[in-house]
Short mmCIF file of all heavy atoms in Angstrom, two decimals:
data_model
loop_
_atom_site.label_atom_id
_atom_site.label_comp_id
_atom_site.label_asym_id
_atom_site.label_seq_id
_atom_site.Cartn_x
_atom_site.Cartn_y
_atom_site.Cartn_z
N LYS A 710 -44.59 -18.34 -6.60
CA LYS A 710 -45.67 -17.56 -7.19
C LYS A 710 -46.80 -17.33 -6.17
O LYS A 710 -47.34 -16.22 -6.06
CB LYS A 710 -46.20 -18.30 -8.43
CG LYS A 710 -47.15 -17.52 -9.27
CD LYS A 710 -47.48 -18.30 -10.53
CE LYS A 710 -48.55 -17.63 -11.34
NZ LYS A 710 -48.90 -18.38 -12.54
N LYS A 711 -47.14 -18.37 -5.41
CA LYS A 711 -48.19 -18.24 -4.39
C LYS A 711 -47.79 -17.25 -3.30
O LYS A 711 -48.59 -16.44 -2.84
CB LYS A 711 -48.49 -19.60 -3.76
CG LYS A 711 -49.25 -20.54 -4.65
CD LYS A 711 -49.44 -21.88 -3.98
CE LYS A 711 -50.04 -22.89 -4.93
NZ LYS A 711 -50.12 -24.24 -4.35
N LYS A 712 -46.53 -17.33 -2.88
CA LYS A 712 -46.05 -16.42 -1.82
C LYS A 712 -46.07 -14.97 -2.28
O LYS A 712 -46.48 -14.07 -1.55
CB LYS A 712 -44.65 -16.82 -1.37
CG LYS A 712 -44.61 -18.09 -0.57
CD LYS A 712 -43.19 -18.47 -0.20
CE LYS A 712 -43.17 -19.79 0.56
NZ LYS A 712 -41.80 -20.23 0.83
N VAL A 713 -45.66 -14.72 -3.52
CA VAL A 713 -45.66 -13.36 -4.06
C VAL A 713 -47.09 -12.84 -4.14
O VAL A 713 -47.37 -11.69 -3.78
CB VAL A 713 -44.97 -13.31 -5.44
CG1 VAL A 713 -45.21 -11.99 -6.13
CG2 VAL A 713 -43.48 -13.58 -5.30
N LYS A 714 -48.01 -13.70 -4.57
CA LYS A 714 -49.41 -13.30 -4.69
C LYS A 714 -50.00 -12.99 -3.31
O LYS A 714 -50.69 -11.98 -3.14
CB LYS A 714 -50.21 -14.42 -5.36
CG LYS A 714 -51.59 -14.03 -5.78
CD LYS A 714 -52.23 -15.14 -6.59
CE LYS A 714 -53.55 -14.69 -7.16
NZ LYS A 714 -54.16 -15.70 -8.01
N ALA A 715 -49.67 -13.79 -2.31
CA ALA A 715 -50.18 -13.57 -0.96
C ALA A 715 -49.65 -12.26 -0.38
O ALA A 715 -50.40 -11.48 0.22
CB ALA A 715 -49.79 -14.74 -0.06
N ILE A 716 -48.38 -12.00 -0.58
CA ILE A 716 -47.79 -10.76 -0.07
C ILE A 716 -48.39 -9.56 -0.78
O ILE A 716 -48.68 -8.53 -0.16
CB ILE A 716 -46.25 -10.79 -0.19
CG1 ILE A 716 -45.68 -11.82 0.78
CG2 ILE A 716 -45.64 -9.42 0.05
CD1 ILE A 716 -44.20 -12.10 0.60
N SER A 717 -48.60 -9.69 -2.07
CA SER A 717 -49.19 -8.60 -2.84
C SER A 717 -50.60 -8.29 -2.33
O SER A 717 -50.97 -7.13 -2.17
CB SER A 717 -49.25 -8.95 -4.32
OG SER A 717 -47.96 -9.08 -4.84
N LEU A 718 -51.37 -9.35 -2.04
CA LEU A 718 -52.73 -9.15 -1.51
C LEU A 718 -52.69 -8.50 -0.13
O LEU A 718 -53.48 -7.60 0.17
CB LEU A 718 -53.49 -10.48 -1.46
CG LEU A 718 -53.97 -11.02 -2.81
CD1 LEU A 718 -54.54 -12.42 -2.67
CD2 LEU A 718 -55.02 -10.08 -3.40
N GLN A 719 -51.77 -8.95 0.72
CA GLN A 719 -51.64 -8.36 2.06
C GLN A 719 -51.33 -6.87 1.96
O GLN A 719 -51.92 -6.06 2.67
CB GLN A 719 -50.54 -9.06 2.86
CG GLN A 719 -50.89 -10.45 3.33
CD GLN A 719 -49.70 -11.16 3.99
OE1 GLN A 719 -48.59 -10.65 3.98
NE2 GLN A 719 -49.96 -12.34 4.54
N ASN A 720 -50.40 -6.53 1.10
CA ASN A 720 -50.05 -5.11 0.92
C ASN A 720 -51.22 -4.32 0.36
O ASN A 720 -51.47 -3.18 0.75
CB ASN A 720 -48.83 -4.96 0.02
CG ASN A 720 -47.56 -5.41 0.71
OD1 ASN A 720 -47.46 -5.38 1.93
ND2 ASN A 720 -46.56 -5.81 -0.08
N TYR A 721 -51.96 -4.91 -0.56
CA TYR A 721 -53.12 -4.25 -1.13
C TYR A 721 -54.15 -3.94 -0.05
O TYR A 721 -54.68 -2.84 0.03
CB TYR A 721 -53.73 -5.12 -2.24
CG TYR A 721 -55.06 -4.57 -2.76
CD1 TYR A 721 -55.08 -3.48 -3.62
CD2 TYR A 721 -56.27 -5.15 -2.37
CE1 TYR A 721 -56.28 -2.97 -4.08
CE2 TYR A 721 -57.46 -4.65 -2.83
CZ TYR A 721 -57.48 -3.56 -3.67
OH TYR A 721 -58.67 -3.05 -4.13
N PHE A 722 -54.43 -4.94 0.82
CA PHE A 722 -55.43 -4.75 1.88
C PHE A 722 -54.95 -3.72 2.90
O PHE A 722 -55.76 -2.94 3.41
CB PHE A 722 -55.75 -6.07 2.56
CG PHE A 722 -56.59 -6.99 1.70
CD1 PHE A 722 -56.21 -8.28 1.48
CD2 PHE A 722 -57.76 -6.53 1.10
CE1 PHE A 722 -56.96 -9.13 0.68
CE2 PHE A 722 -58.54 -7.37 0.30
CZ PHE A 722 -58.14 -8.67 0.09
N LYS A 723 -53.66 -3.68 3.18
CA LYS A 723 -53.12 -2.67 4.12
C LYS A 723 -53.34 -1.28 3.57
O LYS A 723 -53.73 -0.37 4.29
CB LYS A 723 -51.62 -2.90 4.38
CG LYS A 723 -51.31 -4.04 5.29
CD LYS A 723 -49.80 -4.14 5.47
CE LYS A 723 -49.43 -5.38 6.26
NZ LYS A 723 -47.97 -5.55 6.37
N VAL A 724 -53.09 -1.10 2.30
CA VAL A 724 -53.22 0.20 1.68
C VAL A 724 -54.68 0.62 1.59
O VAL A 724 -55.03 1.77 1.90
CB VAL A 724 -52.57 0.21 0.27
CG1 VAL A 724 -52.90 1.46 -0.51
CG2 VAL A 724 -51.06 0.03 0.39
#
Side-chain angles (χ1 to χ4, degrees):
K710 190 174 174 181
K711 287 177 188 174
K712 288 178 183 175
V713 169
K714 191 173 187 177
I716 291 171
S717 295
L718 286 172
Q719 287 174 353
N720 289 334
Y721 172 76
F722 287 129
K723 284 180 187 176
V724 170

